[in-house]
Amino acid sequence: MKDHLLKATAEGVRIFAAVTTNLVGEAVKRHDCYPVAAAALGRTMTGALLLAANLKNDEAITIKIQGNGALGKVVADAVPEGFSRGYVDNPHVELPLNSKGKIDVAGGVGRNGLISVTRFTGLKKNITGSAELVTGEIAEDLTNYLYVSEQTPSSIGLGVLVDTDLSIKAAGGFFVQPLPNASDEILDRLEENLSKINSVTDLVAEGMDAKGIINKIFEGLEVNFTTTTNLNFRCHCNRQRIEDVLASLSREDLQSLIDDGKAEVGCQFCGQKYQFTVDELKSIANSRK
């Protein structure tokens, strides 16, 4: 199944649902993530795509989660066109399963810290909000952030299933938001439907697409499906951007690289490595002057 995000509404409630198995798998492979990091990064990337679905074109969103756990920062970018990238500070964290026999994402993230969301609008000043971490489970922290920082009641579900070979077997999520005209009866029905869902991971692992997830959550309601967006892992780093970074270094730092005889610069978000020879470094140094 190709990764995709589907939007829909039903009687005063809107929903975005996404299947992100492939793009999460690509990110996990690039960063060589162990299960705890894979689950945390995959959930954050999926959450970023769900929030980005509400943006205008040419806007972007970044989610940064930093608790006191061993993972350090977990960061993900996304744009409404359906592209996402991300990284985790410490991808090789190993923890025992939690009391429910699940990957201990909360333990890896920690509870003492912040979740921040930055919206890049193309204007001079970006919009950033933040909230304290509540559980470290990411979906619950995103839900709490939307309520505390943006006064937006919502329900978010995120899931990543890591296979025994560390590949991603299933990943996806949903974002449900009542609109002002939603009745109490509809909200009660929605709450009942959500209580019956064990996990979004199970739904995706069973082969359910975004439409199936939405029908499950909106069971008994009249659903209006709107737009579908294809999703992909994509980083916007390139050689020219890396050259610009090198050109911004001090003369001393550039000369040190030249003296070393070469330079290798890696992108934090995608792991792509860029090699520079002495002649190329000298050219960058000369252009800087």
Side-chain angles (χ1 to χ4, degrees), residues 7-15 176-179 181-183 186-187 190 193 214-215 217-226:
K7 298 179 181 180
T9 57
E11 303 181 46
V13 181
R14 67 177 175 183
I15 184 172
V176 182
Q177 185 180 60
L179 300 173
N181 61 332
S183 67
I186 294 299
L187 295 180
L190 182 61
N193 289 348
I214 291 173
N215 282 330
I217 295 172
F218 279 171
E219 185 178 354
L221 304 178
E222 186 175 343
V223 185
N224 175 37
F225 296 100
T226 54

Side-chain angles (χ1 to χ4, degrees), residues 62-122:
T62 296
I63 297 175
K64 182 172 76 172
I65 298 170
Q66 184 160 20
N68 62 347
L71 288 174
K73 290 194 302 295
V74 184
V75 181
D77 290 345
V79 294
E81 292 82 2
F83 305 127
S84 182
R85 62 177 190 164
Y87 70 89
V88 55
D89 276 347
N90 302 308
H92 292 166
V93 170
E94 294 187 88
L95 293 174
L97 299 178
N98 62 22
S99 59
K100 297 180 180 180
K102 304 290 186 179
I103 294 173
D104 193 5
V105 174
V109 171
R111 291 182 176 82
N112 184 16
L114 292 174
I115 177 172
S116 63
V117 178
T118 300
R119 178 177 172 182
F120 299 89
T121 63

